[in-house]
C-alpha cells in the first residue's frame, strides 16, 4: 500500500533550516512548498489564509522567525510580530483547518541559570526580548486546538547556509592568526542538517499522541571556545583560538550562561539517535 504524499509548507525560505530541508527533500516522498516572507507573511492573517487555502497543506513547518537577538531589544514590536503574532496566525489556521504544525523554538526560553541540561518540563524564564517573544509563540500554539503539533526547541544552530557561528569562525580563521572566543557560555552546537533530517523522516508520524514540546540538539555540550577550536581543527587551519570572558564582549541582550537542552525525550519517543556535536561538523 502506497502512503499518501504529504503536502508540506515550509515558511522562512532562505533561512538556514529551510535551506537544509530543501537540500534533503529529494530523499523524501513529500510535496514541498517553500515560502519566504514576500510569498507568505505570517504576521498577516489574510496572507496566511489566502496562501494556505490555495495550497491545502497537511503539515506546516514554521522555520520563519525574528532571530536578531540584540536588535530585538530595541525592535520589540518587530520581534513579537513574527515570533508571537505570526505563530498565533499559523496556529489559528491549523486549528480551523485541521492542519498539523511543526514549530521551531529556542533555548532562550530558559534563564540560563541551570546546573544541568534543561528538560522540556522545566519552568521557562526568558531573559531577553527574543526569548520572551519565542515563548509567547510557544504559548500561542499550546493554547490553540491544533490536531497535532511539535514545538521543537533547538540551539546554536549552524550549517553551510545563511549566517551562523560556524561560517563566521571559518571565514575569520582563514584570514587571521588569532581569534578570541568566549569560554563562559555553555550550550550545544547543533547541525541544522541533523534537525532537518529528523523532521523530514518523522513527519508521517506526527499525531495527537506524540504532540508536544521536544528538544533537538546534538548530544554533548561545549563552550563557544570549544566550538571554535573544533571548527578550526576540523578544517585543518592553524589559527590560534584564545579563550576570553564574555565580559570582554558586552552585548545588548543577555546571553544564557548555560543553555544545554536535554534531548533524551525526543530520542526515546521516536527511537532516534542524535549524534554528538563533535562528530557533526562539516569538512
Amino acid at each position: 500500500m502506497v502512503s499518501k504524499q504529504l503536502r508540506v509548507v515550509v515558511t522562512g525560505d532562505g533561512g538556514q533550516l529551510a535551506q537544509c530541508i530543501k537540500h534533503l527533500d529529494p530523499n523524501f516522498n513529500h510535496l514541498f512548498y517553500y515560502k519566504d516572507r514576500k510569498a507568505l507573511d505570517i504576521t498577516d492573517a489574510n496572507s496566511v489564509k489566502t496562501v494556505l487555502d490555495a495550497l491545502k497543506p497537511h503539515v506546516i513547518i514554521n522555520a520563519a522567525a525574528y532571530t536578531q537577538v540584540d536588535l530585538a531589544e530595541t525592535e520589540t514590536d518587530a520581534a513579537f510580530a513574527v515570533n508571537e503574532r505570526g505563530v498565533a496566525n499559523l496556529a489559528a489556521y491549523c486549528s480551523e483547518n485541521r492542519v498539523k504544525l511543526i514549530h521551531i523554538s529556542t533555548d532562550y526560553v530558559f534563564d540560563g541559570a541551570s546546573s544541568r541540561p534543561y528538560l522540556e518540563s522545566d519552568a521557562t524564564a526568558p531573559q531577553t526580548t527574543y526569548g520572551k517573544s519565542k515563548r509567547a509563540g510557544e504559548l500561542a500554539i499550546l493554547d490553540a486546538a491544533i490536531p497535532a503539533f511539535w514545538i521543537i526547541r533547538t540551539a546554536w544552530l549552524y550549517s553551510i547556509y545563511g549566517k551562523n557561528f560556524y561560517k563566521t569562525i571559518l571565514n575569520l580563521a582563514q584570514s587571521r592568526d588569532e581569534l578570541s572566543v568566549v569560554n563562559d557560555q555553555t550550550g550545544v552546537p547543533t547541525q541544522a542538517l541533523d534537525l532537518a533530517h529528523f523532521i523530514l523522516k518523522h513527519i508521517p508520524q506526527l499525531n495527537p499522541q506524540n504532540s508536544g514540546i521536544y528538544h533537538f540538539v546534538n548530544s554533548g555540550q561545549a563552550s563557544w571556545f570549544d566550538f571554535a577550536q573544533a571548527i578550526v581543527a576540523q578544517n585543518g587551519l592553524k589559527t590560534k583560538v584564545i579563550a576570553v570572558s564574555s565580559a570582554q564582549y558586552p552585548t545588548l541582550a543577555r546571553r544564557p550562561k548555560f543553555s544545554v537542552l536535554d534531548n533524551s525525550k525526543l530520542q526515546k519517543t521516536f527511537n532516534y539517535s542524535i549524534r554528538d556535536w563533535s562528530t557533526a561538523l562539516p569538512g
Side-chain angles (χ1 to χ4, degrees):
M1 181 178 178
V2 179
S3 61
K4 178 176 67 174
Q5 188 177 41
L6 294 175
R7 294 189 298 277
V8 182
V9 168
V10 181
T11 67
D13 187 26
Q16 63 171 328
L17 180 58
Q19 290 185 76
C20 287
I21 292 171
K22 190 177 294 185
H23 176 78
L24 295 175
D25 79 29
N27 301 321
F28 296 89
N29 185 35
H30 311 314
L31 186 60
F32 292 91
Y33 303 94
Y34 295 90
K35 299 295 177 182
D36 61 15
R37 185 169 184 175
K38 290 181 180 179
L40 171 57
D41 181 0
I42 65 171
T43 68
D44 181 348
N46 290 327
S47 174
V48 169
K49 177 173 174 53
T50 300
V51 174
L52 296 181
D53 277 355
L55 297 176
K56 294 181 169 50
H58 298 108
V59 184
I60 297 169
I61 301 173
N62 183 36
Y66 182 108
T67 58
Q68 301 296 316
V69 176
D70 289 317
L71 203 54
E73 296 301 316
T74 54
E75 292 188 354
T76 302
D77 291 346
F80 274 88
V82 178
N83 295 343
E84 179 184 28
R85 188 170 75 241
V87 177
N89 288 338
L90 292 174
Y93 185 89
C94 289
S95 176
E96 293 166 8
N97 295 276
R98 312 303 294 167
V99 176
K100 299 176 181 181
L101 177 63
I102 299 172
H103 172 68
I104 308 303
S105 194
T106 176
D107 56 325
Y108 274 74
V109 300
F110 297 113
D111 61 10
S114 179
S115 58
R116 58 152 177 83
Y118 284 99
L119 301 170
E120 290 84 350
S121 56
D122 286 336
T124 57
Q127 301 295 300
T128 64
T129 297
Y130 169 67
K132 291 172 184 176
S133 67
K134 291 295 286 184
R135 178 54 180 165
E138 291 185 358
L139 293 173
I141 293 172
L142 295 172
D143 289 342
I146 302 175
F149 70 91
W150 294 332
I151 295 170
I152 302 178
R153 293 177 183 148
T154 191
W156 293 28
L157 208 61
Y158 73 92
S159 68
I160 63 171
Y161 305 106
K163 295 180 180 179
N164 56 70
F165 183 84
Y166 173 86
K167 289 181 66 178
T168 297
I169 293 297
L170 184 57
N171 289 336
L172 290 174
Q174 289 170 339
S175 61
R176 296 187 184 180
D177 295 327
E178 292 184 353
L179 289 176
S180 297
V181 182
V182 297
N183 195 33
D184 56 1
Q185 296 171 11
T186 301
V188 188
T190 301
Q191 169 63 266
L193 275 172
D194 288 5
L195 174 55
H197 181 270
F198 167 79
I199 292 172
L200 295 185
K201 181 177 180 180
H202 291 88
I203 281 178
Q205 298 178 27
L206 173 54
N207 62 49
Q209 287 68 46
N210 60 35
S211 290
I213 299 174
Y214 293 92
H215 291 167
F216 187 105
V217 289
N218 284 108
S219 297
Q221 62 184 55
S223 68
W224 290 112
F225 169 75
D226 297 328
F227 189 16
Q229 278 198 313
I231 294 167
V232 169
Q234 181 75 9
N235 288 276
L237 301 172
K238 302 301 181 182
T239 306
K240 183 179 180 181
V241 183
I242 301 169
V244 296
S245 166
S246 56
Q248 295 178 243
Y249 291 92
T251 55
L252 197 57
R254 174 185 169 190
R255 264 59 176 177
K257 287 290 185 183
F258 184 89
S259 62
V260 178
L261 301 179
D262 187 307
N263 61 22
S264 59
K265 175 186 174 184
L266 182 143
Q267 293 196 80
K268 291 175 182 177
T269 300
F270 300 100
N271 190 27
Y272 188 82
S273 179
I274 305 177
R275 59 181 170 167
D276 192 87
W277 74 268
S278 62
T279 67
L281 293 172

